[in-house]
């Protein structure tokens, strides 16, 4: 149980274009999902918290107009990187929390974004 | 205040040995301390987690030791195997009501690259 999927697993796009990444909880409902980015050989940095039916909460320094998050259902959150630039190239990982009162987060397999 | 400091950065252990990774935190509002294992190109996988009301938790070969007064916790991997070679992250999350919107947010340590030699 507690499986989280991401699609696509990797994507290459040209500078200036937008890319959408999907995060799905496959066998549970997730009222809260989180989006992280991870640079090579570094730790995970939280970008934003996504709550179903409400606006995402972004961490300090994360541009909300560049990284659009939508959590339209209890099993799906999307991250859209708008007007992508090479410095946006990174490993993007989502996680989902089971229930409001739970601490446990289960992570997706990640999406490797390369902007050329 | 929000940092979690992890050490060592890298660790080499022989097969069958014990791997020990340490973390320290400052924020007393942290109330949940998980450890994650990450293989290259994959997302982190939850290994084991502890709350501050216990000093030790064991699941199979993995044990968390927790010292509330010192604000430190550690992961012990017994009988380490080559398949355990991965990056390990400690993390911490504040309790409900602490810092308002911070509940459930994980702060990660810097990671430890573990290599287990056969």
């Amino acid at each position: 149980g507690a499986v989280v999927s991401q699609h696509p697993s990797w994507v290459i796009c040209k500078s200036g274009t937008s890319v959408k990444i999907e995060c799905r909880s496959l066998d549970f409902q997730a009222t809260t999902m989180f989006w992280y980015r991870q640079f090579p050989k570094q730790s995970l940095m939280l970008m934003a918290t996504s709550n179903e039916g409400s606006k995402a909460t972004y961490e300090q320094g994360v541009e909300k107009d560049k990284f659009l998050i939508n959590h339209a259902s209890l099993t799906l959150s999307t991250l859209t990187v708008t007007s992508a630039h090479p410095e946006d190239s990174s490993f993007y990982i989502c996680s989902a929390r089971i229930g409001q009162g739970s601490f446990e987060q289960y992570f997706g397999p990640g999406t490797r974004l390369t902007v050329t | 205040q929000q940092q979690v400091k992890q050490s060592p950065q890298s660790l080499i252990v022989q097969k069958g040995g014990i791997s020990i990774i340490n973390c320290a935190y400052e924020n007393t509002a942290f109330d949940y301390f998980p450890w994650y294992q990450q293989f290259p190109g994959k997302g982190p996988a939850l290994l084991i987690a502890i709350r501050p009301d216990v000093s030790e938790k064991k699941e199979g070969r993995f044990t968390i030791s927790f010292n509330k007064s010192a604000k430190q916790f550690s992961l012990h991997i017994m009988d380490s195997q080559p398949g355990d070679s991965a990056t390990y992250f400690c993390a911490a999350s504040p309790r409900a009501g602490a810092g308002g919107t911070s509940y459930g947010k994980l702060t990660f340590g810097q990671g430890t690259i573990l290599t287990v030699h056969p």
Side-chain angles (χ1 to χ4, degrees):
Chain A
V3 178
V4 177
S5 70
Q6 279 184 244
H7 178 80
S9 56
W10 58 271
V11 57
I12 301 172
C13 71
K14 293 187 182 297
S15 187
T17 61
S18 296
V19 174
K20 180 184 283 188
I21 302 170
E22 292 186 349
C23 176
R24 292 182 185 273
S25 56
L26 297 185
D27 51 2
F28 64 99
Q29 292 184 331
T31 54
T32 303
M33 291 182 173
F34 301 89
W35 286 94
Y36 298 81
R37 67 188 296 181
Q38 184 179 34
F39 291 108
K41 299 191 184 302
Q42 292 191 23
S43 188
L44 286 81
M45 294 299 295
L46 179 65
M47 298 175 65
T49 302
S50 168
N51 291 296
E52 186 267 338
S54 63
K55 289 184 178 180
T57 305
Y58 291 81
E59 295 300 301
Q60 193 172 7
V62 177
E63 300 175 61
K64 62 180 180 180
D65 294 331
K66 181 168 186 64
F67 299 100
L68 301 179
I69 291 172
N70 183 274
H71 194 156
S73 77
L74 287 172
T75 60
L76 173 64
S77 176
T78 60
L79 167 68
T80 301
V81 183
T82 63
S83 186
H85 289 93
E87 57 265 31
D88 298 324
S89 299
S90 188
F91 194 50
Y92 291 88
I93 313 172
C94 71
S95 71
R97 192 171 73 198
I98 299 177
Q100 291 283 12
S102 171
F103 280 104
E104 293 182 1
Q105 287 185 34
Y106 294 89
F107 284 79
T111 296
R112 173 74 59 195
L113 170 62
T114 302
V115 185
T116 61
Chain B
Q1 184 96 14
Q2 290 295 326
Q3 279 188 328
V4 177
K5 295 182 179 180
Q6 183 173 344
S7 63
Q9 273 190 311
S10 63
L11 179 62
I12 298 175
V13 174
Q14 291 297 121
K15 178 182 176 182
I18 302 173
S19 304
I20 301 174
I21 305 170
N22 302 297
C23 283
Y25 63 97
E26 292 291 329
N27 189 350
T28 54
F30 285 149
D31 200 44
Y32 170 71
F33 304 89
W35 285 90
Y36 287 88
Q37 178 189 59
Q38 186 179 32
F39 293 104
K42 305 293 183 185
L46 178 63
L47 267 179
I48 185 172
I50 198 168
R51 300 288 300 277
D53 51 344
V54 296
S55 60
E56 187 175 281
K57 183 175 181 180
K58 182 176 181 179
E59 289 184 2
R61 297 186 293 112
F62 302 95
T63 300
I64 298 180
S65 297
F66 186 83
N67 185 328
K68 188 174 181 178
S69 60
K71 292 189 289 231
Q72 295 175 348
F73 58 110
S74 61
L75 175 70
H76 296 230
I77 305 175
M78 312 300 287
D79 187 27
S80 298
Q81 298 297 312
D84 296 330
S85 296
T87 300
Y88 292 81
F89 292 96
C90 64
S93 178
R95 59 183 170 271
T101 57
S102 295
Y103 169 62
K105 291 183 180 180
L106 288 172
T107 298
F108 281 84
Q110 296 84 352
T112 297
I113 300 172
L114 172 65
T115 303
V116 181
H117 284 157

